[in-house]
DNA sequence: TCCGACATGTAATGGGTTACATGATTTT
DNA sequence: AAAATCATGTAACCCATTACATGTCGGA
């Protein structure tokens, strides 16, 4: 299970389940997501297996707080995972499946709207990652040169996200352009279907 | 559930569970994957809900064969799905998480090997999609112009895959270049760690 | 004769989400 | 006084995977 390994990775410094949820949101939002209801049992399982240990600590607010830390066995397990082959999950892209079948609707305007939503979605995500990159650049104008090894890998992951999203957006634009050509050809050329006449010269 | 809708989408022509599994592999391999052990119960559920109906048919080989077909309600349900907003699943990319944490290993050669595997993986997938595109081009030199609406959407989905994969590969190359610069700087510059000396002039 | 393709399923398990349940403390 | 934040968990459910179970038919 990857969540277990990711938790081990995040536990470089001791953290509570609640903390880890925040780390997911702050640092890994473009890579992985996890709910508290999944994190808590997983931490317990890791502790039973001796990969982490825990101690009680004062809560910053509210009641008790349980801090988890990597054990030697845990760090070793993490290294095994990191040294292994890349784990490719077969992506299930429901939105692409929707597009694949959308010809069924015979409604190119719907396709156009759909592509608009998709583009907006990815543009928003890209903006978020770009903001992170701008922060790095502002902090060090030589970025990404001279990054410590740790940060270099974080940088790689960030760039992965940015490159993917940029490609998605370009693909949206390519597709919209193809669609637009269709729609223009249809409105100016032979109109088999009687519809509203537009752009009369 | 998206699998249900995808099955409805595939059931333009009547098909058996076995057929549908093949359709997944032939047409949707870059978008979705499903096992027979998931397809069979899902078809039964769809039938109970009246979205498909089934009849027995002669097997091409072996024993009986159950052919499923869309009902009106099924087609309507499909259209609802297709008309709705894009369904973005939050991707869980274990391999990116691995890379994110890989600084922990302090072993840039491992990172290099990792990126090599990743690149090879995506290059193979891209080759498969390129082959499909070449078939379309061979069949019609004007491709993708003048594609029927149905095929246009399939084309969009294909291009989505190709663009994503190409971007991944470019990202790999960018990352490898950055890593290479690191390694060269390290081997020619101050070598804090005593290692094997290479490239003596 | 045995292998591979055709064909259909069930059971156990795993991984994840949603909803539910609780309670302290700080900020508005 | 109410809302947000800190903090921890459980239970039910859903989707998917892996392993298991069964049987026919055609070709090598």
């Amino acid at each position: 299970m990857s969540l277990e390994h990711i938790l081990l990775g995040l536990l470089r410094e001791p953290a509570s389940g609640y903390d880890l949820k925040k780390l997911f949101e702050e640092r890994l939002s473009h890579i992985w997501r996890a709910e508290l209801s999944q994190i808590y049992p997983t931490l317990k399982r890791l502790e039973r297996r001796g990969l982490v240990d825990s101690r009680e600590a004062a809560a910053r607010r509210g009641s008790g707080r349980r801090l988890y830390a990597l054990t030697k066995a845990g760090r070793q397990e993490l290294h095994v995972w990191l040294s292994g082959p890349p784990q490719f999950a077969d992506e299930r892209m429901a939105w692409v499946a929707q597009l694949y079948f959308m010809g069924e609707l015979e409604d190119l305007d719907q396709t156009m709207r759909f592509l608009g939503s998709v583009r907006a979605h990815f543009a928003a995500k890209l903006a978020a990652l770009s903001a992170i990159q701008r922060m790095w650049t502002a902090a060090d104008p030589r970025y990404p040169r001279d990054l410590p090894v740790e940060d270099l890998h974080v940088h790689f992951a960030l760039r992965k996200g940015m490159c993917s999203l940029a490609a998605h957006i370009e693909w949206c634009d390519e597709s919209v352009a193809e669609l637009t050509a269709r729609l223009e050809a249809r409105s100016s050329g032979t109109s088999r279907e009687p519809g509203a006449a537009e752009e009369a010269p």
Side-chain angles (χ1 to χ4, degrees), chain A residues 93-170:
Chain A
M93 290 170 294
W95 68 272
V96 184
Q98 283 175 292
L99 190 61
Y100 182 97
F101 292 115
M102 203 167 283
E104 169 80 20
L105 290 181
E106 303 271 0
D107 177 0
L108 294 186
D109 291 326
Q110 161 63 13
T111 304
M112 191 65 98
R113 282 191 299 275
F114 189 88
L115 288 173
S117 306
V118 171
R119 194 187 193 286
H121 174 83
F122 289 125
K125 287 197 147 193
L126 179 56
L129 296 192
S130 299
I132 294 173
Q133 193 182 44
R134 268 197 306 279
M135 277 172 48
W136 286 66
T137 311
D140 176 7
R142 310 174 63 186
Y143 166 90
R145 291 273 250 111
D146 309 323
L147 279 178
V149 183
E150 194 86 11
D151 292 343
L152 179 67
H153 289 79
V154 174
H155 160 73
F156 284 155
L158 174 68
R159 291 290 306 156
K160 151 68 181 67
M162 294 183 68
C163 292
S164 289
L165 291 167
H168 281 126
I169 290 169
E170 277 173 46

Side-chain angles (χ1 to χ4, degrees), chain A residues 51-70:
Chain A
L51 303 178
V52 302
D53 53 23
S54 73
R55 59 188 169 84
E56 288 190 56
R60 285 185 275 258
R61 205 189 290 186
S63 49
R65 186 157 177 263
R66 179 162 294 272
L67 280 182
Y68 289 88
L70 263 193

Side-chain angles (χ1 to χ4, degrees), chain A residues 15-27:
Chain A
S16 68
Y18 194 88
D19 295 338
L20 289 164
K21 166 70 173 158
K22 288 210 163 164
L23 289 178
F24 269 102
E25 282 162 4
E26 284 163 19
R27 303 192 198 162

Side-chain angles (χ1 to χ4, degrees), chain A residues 13 15 34 37 49 57 65 81 101 103 107 109 120 123 126 139 167 170 186 188 198-199:
Chain A
E13 307 126 46
S37 59
R49 286 206 258 143
R65 186 157 177 263
W81 181 62
F101 292 115
D107 177 0
D109 291 326
L126 179 56
E170 277 173 46
R186 174 168 295 185
S188 68
E198 286 176 52
E199 293 186 346

